[in-house]
């Protein structure tokens, strides 16, 4: 008879093998490419260049421009999703009828593939053929959603439309897990709704807020489909995000070695953000426990 430990290892082994095959090998191979000058057009073996690709990435102004564009996109999109999501979650918490129907309809945008959402808004917001600009022109408003200075915010709006339900889902779960005693005590003391929100609900909801913001920020940093389906980085390089810039470098310009190094730089930056966020969460938790 097999020991429980061997049985557990046997059950986990297929998952580990799948992880190594699907995630481990591509990651290791990308790490190898990142220290070579490999190009898709080369037929011979790539030459190892060491850290040259990484040094070139850190010195590349276009890379940091794409980084700044992505950071602005994340701040705008996640900021609006947080505010709108919290407002909707507070409203849904008080809903007494048709709760299941409302929540299922609200979550519908999450289940549409991002590329389909991008293509849909590309035609809805097109300055010449789009239905929304045409309706705006009937009331005397001529607005180019994908024009200079506006395109990035339009992409952020598309992200808000699709992923605010995810924020609502997390925040609603957090609100429903808040104990009732502090809320009842505040109301008995005569506290108003805004005071209860600021002084009671938000502090108790802080761990959920941090997780929600972190998850959405990490996911928003990967934005590619909206850019690919709508602006292709334009006008100019105004909507050239990190993922699209890496795609251009590796696929359009065939420089897979440079693209791999850029991807690993982004990975390191993301891991640094995650570590800092979780350390602050741990400090906050310990301070609250005291």
């Amino acid at each position: 008879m097999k020991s429980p430990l061997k049985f557990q290892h046997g059950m986990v082994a297929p998952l580990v093998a799948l992880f190594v095959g699907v995630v481990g090998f591509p990651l290791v191979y990308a790490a190898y490419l990142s220290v070579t000058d490999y190009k898709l057009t080369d037929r011979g073996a790539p030459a190892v260049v060491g850290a040259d690709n990484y040094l070139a990435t850190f010195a590349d102004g276009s890379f940091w421009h794409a980084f700044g564009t992505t950071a602005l996109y994340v701040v705008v999109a996640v900021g609006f999703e947080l505010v709108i999501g919290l407002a909707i979650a507070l409203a849904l918490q008080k809903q007494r009828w048709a709760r299941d129907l409302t929540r299922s309809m609200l979550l519908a945008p999450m289940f549409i593939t991002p590329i389909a959402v991008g293509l849909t808004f590309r035609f809805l917001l097109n300055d010449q053929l789009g239905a929304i600009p045409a309706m705006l022109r009937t009331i005397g408003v001529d607005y180019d959603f994908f024009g200079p200075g506006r395109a990035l915010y339009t992409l952020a709006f598309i992200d808000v439309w699709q992923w605010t339900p995810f924020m609502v889902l997390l925040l609603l779960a957090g609100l429903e897990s808040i104990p009732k005693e502090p809320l009842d005590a505040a109301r008995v003391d005569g506290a108003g709704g805004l005071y209860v929100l600021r002084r009671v609900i938000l502090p108790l909801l802080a761990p959920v807020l941090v997780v929600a913001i972190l998850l959405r920020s990490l996911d928003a940093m990967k934005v590619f489909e909206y850019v690919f389906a709508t602006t292709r980085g334009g006008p100019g390089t105004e909507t050239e995000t990190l993922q699209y810039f890496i795609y251009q470098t590796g696929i359009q310009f065939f420089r897979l070695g440079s693209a791999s190094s850029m991807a690993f730089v982004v990975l390191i930056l993301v891991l640094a953000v995650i570590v800092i966020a979780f350390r602050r969460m741990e400090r906050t938790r310990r301070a609250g426990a005291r």
Side-chain angles (χ1 to χ4, degrees):
M1 184 176 180
K2 293 184 177 180
S3 66
L5 186 59
K6 289 184 178 180
F7 176 76
Q8 293 174 5
H9 289 170
M11 295 294 291
V12 174
L15 179 60
V16 173
L18 181 64
F19 178 83
V20 171
V22 175
V23 178
F25 173 74
L27 195 63
V28 172
Y29 187 63
Y32 161 72
L33 290 180
S34 70
V35 295
T36 68
D37 63 350
Y38 181 67
K39 297 180 181 179
L40 286 174
T41 53
D42 293 342
R43 295 184 178 181
V48 176
V49 295
D52 289 354
N53 286 336
Y54 289 93
L55 296 175
T57 297
F58 281 107
D60 189 349
S62 298
F63 174 83
W64 293 111
H65 175 268
F67 179 85
T69 300
T70 305
L72 178 59
Y73 172 88
V74 170
V75 169
V76 173
V78 177
F80 275 99
E81 287 165 12
L82 178 63
V83 174
I84 298 172
L86 181 60
I88 295 175
L90 289 169
L92 289 178
Q93 188 189 24
K94 298 179 181 179
Q95 187 180 8
R96 294 291 178 264
W97 54 274
R99 298 179 64 180
D100 295 337
L101 177 62
T102 303
R103 296 180 187 189
S104 61
M105 293 176 61
L106 183 67
L107 298 179
M110 291 172 50
F111 302 105
I112 308 174
T113 57
I115 191 69
V117 172
L119 289 171
T120 301
F121 277 98
R122 174 185 176 182
F123 291 105
L124 280 176
L125 302 177
N126 184 274
D127 186 45
Q128 297 178 346
L129 304 174
I132 294 178
M135 288 188 293
L136 290 177
R137 280 193 289 270
T138 61
I139 59 175
V141 178
D142 189 6
Y143 188 86
D144 183 5
F145 286 93
F146 296 113
R150 303 170 181 176
L152 186 65
Y153 298 101
T154 299
L155 295 182
F157 161 76
I158 297 173
D159 193 285
V160 170
W161 180 88
Q162 182 168 26
W163 293 111
T164 295
F166 178 78
M167 191 72 77
V168 173
L169 192 64
L170 292 179
L171 297 181
L172 184 59
L175 287 171
E176 293 183 345
S177 66
I178 292 178
K180 303 298 181 183
E181 291 79 6
L183 299 176
D184 295 337
R187 293 191 181 98
V188 169
D189 292 339
L194 185 60
Y195 182 88
V196 173
L197 176 64
R198 290 176 51 211
R199 298 295 185 179
V200 181
I201 294 178
L202 290 181
L204 293 174
L205 198 62
V208 179
L209 287 171
V210 172
V211 172
I213 293 171
L214 183 62
L215 290 177
R216 275 303 306 135
S217 297
L218 294 177
D219 188 58
M221 280 189 66
K222 301 185 300 180
V223 61
F224 172 79
E225 294 91 342
Y226 302 150
V227 181
F228 184 82
T230 56
T231 63
R232 299 294 176 95
T237 58
E238 193 170 300
T239 59
E240 194 174 66
T241 59
L242 277 173
Q243 298 297 325
Y244 191 76
F245 182 72
I246 294 172
Y247 158 79
Q248 283 186 311
T249 303
I251 304 301
Q252 292 188 343
F253 303 145
F254 310 118
R255 295 159 47 207
L256 278 184
S258 298
S260 298
S261 67
M262 293 175 186
F264 271 93
V265 169
V266 174
L267 178 62
I268 293 170
L269 293 174
V270 169
L271 289 176
V273 171
I274 293 174
V275 170
I276 294 172
F278 275 103
R279 284 186 176 179
R280 288 190 175 182
M281 285 178 58
E282 185 64 20
R283 291 174 184 173
T284 304
R285 187 188 65 81
R286 290 179 180 177
R290 293 174 184 175

